[in-house]
């Protein structure tokens, strides 16, 4: 979905959506065919990268640009006309755009099954199912639920057996039990084959995002990562590096963002990832996110630099202790300041703060 138009300084953040890539891999396991309507990339191709967000503002009740919405509608209807699709699914976090797309899909084909997922749909499912054009919600991480939901609909099976969904039946809302969390080792690598990778990599200077883990040890109340993943699960470093090697081979990617919320979940995790990169002989650069008051010793920082780390982003959010406590961030600002200074002065890391 088109979220907003990036400025040139944010080109590195233009990536094919990782969440959809994981869902495609999951559907592949059950031989369920899927396609992507990439309205985000299509909107950039048509309108270019703007300095200001003039086209879409998801905080408004009305879209400010009718031409833009007609463009989205044409793209959607052209796609739906191409084949006999039985389902359309969106990330509900961009709820204005999600509602528009699902509404138009239902108008085009009232029999099409509409599905929303993501943080907003998971934690406020009623706000979605209240809409007559939304049929189902896939809750939390959705690799297994979207796959099982598709299988049940194709085989005309009872939906109550599908774990991790919220749906309508006879005027009532039904929530099924959550599935057991899949071990990260069993989750298939993301599949980018449905995306126009050539265009993405031209736009973002050949950079991709990847996850070394799921979940977060913190529990900030403005962020859904810890809640949506339900628990921290760390990937096997060897399996992770296999994925990076394959992306490097297939797309000639030499720049990565390790996109999990906290790279410093444990000191051992960081060291193992770095050592695997070094031992593999990969010549890549990468950036990551760390929580600034979770200690990383100087030897680990040096190892990160040796393994190609060029940028560390610290999630500070605020310099106010009161605001930090209100957000359940509870960060030790004094320690965070020392950590950032250590990275910059002793190791010449580039760094950013949020």
């Amino acid at each position: 979905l088109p979220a907003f138009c990036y400025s040139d300084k944010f080109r590195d953040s233009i990536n094919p959506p990782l969440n959809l890539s994981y869902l495609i891999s999951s559907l592949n396991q059950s031989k369920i065919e899927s396609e992507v309507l990439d309205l985000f990339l299509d909107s950039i191709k048509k309108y270019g990268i703007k300095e200001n967000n003039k086209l879409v503002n998801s905080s408004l009740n009305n879209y400010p640009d009718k031409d833009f919405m007609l463009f989205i509608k044409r793209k959607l209807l052209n796609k739906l006309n191409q084949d006999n699709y039985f389902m359309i699914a969106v990330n509900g976090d961009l709820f204005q755009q999600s509602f528009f797309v699902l509404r138009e899909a239902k108008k085009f084909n009232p029999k099409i099954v509409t599905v929303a997922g993501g943080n907003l749909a998971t934690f406020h499912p009623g706000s979605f199912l209240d809409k007559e054009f939304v049929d189902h919600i896939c809750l939390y991480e959705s690799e297994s639920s979207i796959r099982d939901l598709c299988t049940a609909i194709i085989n005309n099976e009872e939906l109550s057996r599908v774990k991790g969904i919220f749906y309508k039946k006879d005027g009532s809302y039904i929530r099924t039990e959550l599935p057991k969390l899949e071990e990260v080792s069993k989750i298939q690598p993301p599949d980018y084959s449905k995306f126009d990778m050539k265009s993405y990599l031209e736009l973002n200077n050949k950079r991709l995002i990847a996850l070394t883990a799921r979940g977060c040890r913190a529990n900030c109340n403005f962020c859904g990562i810890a809640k949506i993943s339900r628990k921290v699960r760390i990937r096997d470093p060897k399996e992770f590096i296999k994925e990076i090697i394959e992306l490097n081979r297939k797309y000639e990617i030499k720049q990565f963002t390790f996109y999990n919320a906290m790279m410093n979940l444990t000191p051992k995790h960081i060291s193992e990832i770095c050592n695997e990169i070094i031992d593999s002989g990969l010549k890549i650069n990468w950036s990551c996110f760390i929580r600034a008051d979770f200690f990383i010793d100087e030897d680990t920082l040096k190892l990160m630099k040796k393994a190609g780390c060029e940028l560390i982003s610290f999630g500070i959010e605020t310099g106010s202790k009161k605001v930090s406590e209100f957000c359940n961030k509870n960060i030790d600002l004094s320690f965070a300041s020392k950590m950032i200074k250590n990275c910059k002065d002793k190791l010449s890391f580039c760094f950013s703060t949020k």
Side-chain angles (χ1 to χ4, degrees), residues 27-39:
L27 293 173
N28 291 344
Q29 287 181 281
S30 294
K31 295 182 171 52
I32 297 169
E33 293 184 33
S34 63
E35 291 189 23
V36 170
L37 175 58
D38 196 341
L39 293 170

Side-chain angles (χ1 to χ4, degrees), residues 48-63:
I49 298 178
K50 305 291 184 182
E51 194 62 41
N52 297 307
N53 173 13
K54 296 177 180 178
L55 300 175
V56 177
N57 186 335
S58 61
S59 67
L60 299 178
N61 289 323
N62 298 304
Y63 293 103

Side-chain angles (χ1 to χ4, degrees), residues 80-93:
L80 293 177
N81 266 314
Q82 289 173 14
D83 210 334
N84 185 27
Y85 296 101
F86 75 91
M87 176 187 288
I88 181 168
V90 299
N91 182 342
D93 289 352

Side-chain angles (χ1 to χ4, degrees), residues 175-202:
R175 179 184 178 125
T176 64
E177 66 174 307
L178 294 178
K180 183 180 178 181
L181 277 173
E182 289 190 76
E183 294 296 326
V184 283
S185 60
K186 295 180 180 178
I187 297 174
Q188 294 298 303
D191 181 352
Y192 292 110
S193 63
K194 308 289 185 180
F195 296 93
D196 180 357
M197 293 301 288
K198 184 175 184 291
S199 293
Y200 269 111
L201 298 177
E202 285 175 355

Side-chain angles (χ1 to χ4, degrees), residues 162-173:
V162 179
K163 294 183 178 180
I165 64 169
F166 204 69
Y167 66 99
K168 302 172 185 174
K169 184 176 181 180
D170 300 329
S172 298
Y173 295 167

